[in-house]
């Protein structure tokens, strides 16, 4: 069985709503395809496979994926609209996702979107996603409109999600400072994993994991650079003669790094092996980032991974079933 934790849909109405904005992001219609202008140098097309679920289902069949965990696939959320408008569009995106799930029972699971326009309205939408729409977690972005993820106005919402026992999938966003990032290849290869990693560590340092002991944070793209740089993060988070300031946390930072989860979206076996050795199979979840990147190598890399079959099953489906509470969910055939 395969559960894809990182795969996207797009609410076409939201993409259309971005047309005519005087500032980025916005969207334009080009030859029948909507192009989302996310930042100078980064345009994301609204591909058929991210809008037409019949096309996604055909790809899922080719990749032997049984269940796809859908999240909204633009490198920003409705938060870019700010205020009441952001909260209203978060609800509309969630309603669109709920309709997709209802139309294809047993094939899709939802990660909710949050507007962050107003804290109380965001918390209310979180509760609606869980209690009324049946979503199994939430997608949030590594920053919101250039505000860092550990900003005080966001923490109550994240804390509430954690208290409900819902997992959070942390997806990269456009870094607030993207000097030197002026092409899609630089944004996607370097800017995104950096911003995800930075804001993950900032969330740890904020004390959120001490306040919400059962917080389940899934960091996209094999945790960005965190597995590779975990030794460096641990070294410079600890007080020393050179840098005597200590973080005010209950435990050393490596304790929190070990609590993180990651999806397996990467494109080299060496990167996946590093992640496996540092994070362990119990903290890895199969993901493809469909329809972006190299979805064709997602399962191939896991098959190449030198690990017991039981670990491979955890990665493919066991961890997702546990974190998203999917064990009782019927699978469509």
């Amino acid at each position: 069985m395969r559960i894809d934790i990182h795969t996207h849909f797009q609410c076409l109405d939201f993409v259309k709503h971005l047309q005519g904005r005087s500032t980025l992001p916005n969207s334009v219609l080009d030859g029948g395809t909507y192009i989302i202008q996310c930042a100078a140098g980064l345009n994301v097309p609204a591909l058929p496979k991210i809008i037409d679920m019949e096309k996604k289902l055909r790809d899922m069949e080719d990749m032997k994926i049984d269940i796809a965990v859908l999240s909204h696939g633009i490198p920003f959320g409705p938060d870019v609209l700010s205020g009441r408008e952001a909260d209203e569009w978060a609800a509309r995106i969630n309603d669109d996702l709920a309709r997709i799930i209802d139309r294809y029972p047993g094939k899709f699971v939802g990660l909710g979107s949050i507007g962050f326009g107003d804290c109380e309205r965001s918390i209310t939408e979180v509760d609606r996603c869980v209690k009324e729409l049946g979503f199994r977690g939430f997608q949030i972005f590594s920053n919101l409109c250039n505000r860092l993820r550990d900003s005080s106005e966001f923490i109550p919402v994240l804390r509430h999600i954690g208290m409900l026992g819902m997992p959070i999938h942390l997806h990269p966003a456009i870094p607030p400072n993207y000097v030197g990032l002026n092409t899609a290849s630089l944004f996607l290869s370097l800017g995104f994993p950096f911003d995800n990693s930075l804001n993950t560590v900032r969330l740890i340092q904020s004390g959120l994991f001490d306040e919400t002991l059962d917080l389940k944070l899934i960091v996209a793209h094999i945790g960005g650079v965190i597995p590779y740089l975990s030794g460096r993060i641990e070294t410079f988070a600890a007080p020393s003669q050179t840098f005597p300031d200590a973080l005010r946390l209950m435990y050393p930072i490596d304790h929190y790094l070990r609590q993180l989860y990651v999806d397996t979206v990467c494109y080299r076996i060496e990167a996946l092996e590093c992640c496996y050795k540092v994070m362990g199979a119990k903290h890895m979840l199969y993901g493809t980032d469909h329809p972006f990147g190299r979805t064709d190598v997602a399962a191939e890399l896991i098959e190449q991974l030198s690990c017991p079959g039981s670990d491979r099953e955890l990665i493919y489906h066991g961890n997702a079933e546990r974190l998203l509470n999917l064990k009782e969910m019927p699978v469509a055939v």
Side-chain angles (χ1 to χ4, degrees):
M1 183 178 183
R2 294 178 185 177
I3 299 174
D4 186 353
I5 191 70
H6 186 167
T7 181
H8 296 301
F9 84 107
Q10 280 178 2
C11 173
L12 187 57
D13 285 341
F14 179 70
V15 175
K16 291 178 179 179
H17 183 70
L18 296 175
Q19 284 184 287
R21 297 185 83 235
S22 59
T23 59
L24 297 179
N26 59 28
S27 69
V28 296
L29 186 60
D30 183 9
T33 299
Y34 284 94
I35 306 297
I36 305 160
Q37 298 176 323
C38 303
L42 179 59
N43 295 336
V44 177
L47 300 169
K49 291 180 179 181
I50 205 169
I51 294 171
D52 186 338
M53 292 300 105
E54 295 290 341
K55 288 183 170 61
K56 180 177 281 287
L57 283 167
R58 287 195 286 273
D59 280 2
M60 287 170 59
E61 184 175 358
D62 290 342
M63 294 186 287
K64 301 180 181 178
I65 292 169
D66 300 283
I67 297 173
V69 183
L70 294 177
S71 53
H72 202 231
I74 309 174
F76 54 83
D79 56 275
V80 297
L81 302 174
S82 73
R84 179 185 294 272
E85 188 180 15
D87 292 325
E88 290 174 350
W89 271 101
R92 291 185 64 171
I93 291 168
N94 291 331
D95 287 341
D96 192 34
L97 177 54
R99 284 191 290 270
I100 292 171
I101 294 170
D102 287 343
R103 185 176 178 184
Y104 302 98
K107 296 305 295 183
F108 297 122
V109 171
L111 297 182
S113 295
I114 307 171
F116 288 100
D118 173 80
C119 181
E120 290 304 318
R121 286 197 65 176
S122 292
I123 288 174
T124 298
E125 183 63 15
V126 166
D127 289 340
R128 188 178 79 95
C129 286
V130 175
K131 297 174 183 177
E132 296 181 25
L133 303 183
F135 292 172
R136 304 305 176 99
F138 293 87
Q139 175 180 254
I140 65 170
F141 292 88
S142 51
N143 72 77
L144 279 86
C145 295
N146 297 331
R147 290 172 289 172
L148 295 167
R149 175 45 65 187
D150 61 335
S151 298
S152 60
E153 65 263 42
F154 307 139
I155 292 295
V157 181
L158 305 184
R159 187 187 300 118
H160 185 73
I161 296 171
M163 295 297 288
L164 292 175
M166 294 286 108
I168 295 170
H169 187 248
L170 186 67
H171 192 281
I174 297 162
N177 178 3
Y178 53 89
V179 174
L181 302 176
N182 56 2
T183 65
S185 63
L186 290 171
F187 274 109
L188 298 171
S189 63
L190 299 174
F192 279 17
F194 166 75
D195 202 65
N196 231 25
S197 304
L198 171 65
N199 282 278
T200 297
V201 175
R202 288 188 67 95
L203 280 177
I204 293 172
Q205 293 184 353
S206 75
L208 178 63
F209 284 78
D210 287 340
E211 299 172 6
T212 314
L213 299 179
D214 196 31
L215 187 67
K216 303 177 181 70
L217 187 66
I218 306 167
V219 187
H221 305 288
I222 59 169
V225 300
I226 289 175
Y228 183 73
L229 295 181
S230 59
R232 189 172 182 87
I233 295 168
E234 295 163 17
T235 296
F236 290 103
S240 66
Q241 288 185 338
T242 308
F243 305 105
D245 292 340
L247 296 174
R248 295 178 180 176
L249 299 174
M250 292 175 59
Y251 305 100
I253 200 166
D254 61 297
H255 168 85
Y256 306 95
L257 296 178
R258 290 197 301 269
Q259 292 184 47
L260 299 174
Y261 295 88
V262 299
D263 66 44
T264 62
V265 177
C266 68
Y267 309 106
R268 291 288 295 266
I269 185 60
E270 295 87 351
L272 192 64
E273 287 173 340
C274 173
C275 186
Y276 175 70
K277 291 177 181 178
V278 174
M279 306 300 297
K282 291 183 178 180
H283 288 257
M284 299 171 65
L285 295 90
Y286 175 63
T288 66
D289 201 9
H290 184 272
F292 303 112
R294 293 284 311 280
T295 59
D296 58 312
V297 303
E300 178 183 320
L301 294 180
I302 294 174
E303 293 300 316
Q304 293 176 19
L305 191 62
S306 179
C307 69
S310 56
D311 281 359
R312 194 169 283 110
E313 292 302 307
L314 284 175
I315 296 169
Y316 271 137
H317 66 90
N319 295 326
E321 288 174 332
R322 174 172 52 86
L323 289 185
L324 280 70
N325 194 24
L326 301 180
K327 290 186 179 180
E328 303 303 321
M329 178 179 172
V331 178
V333 295

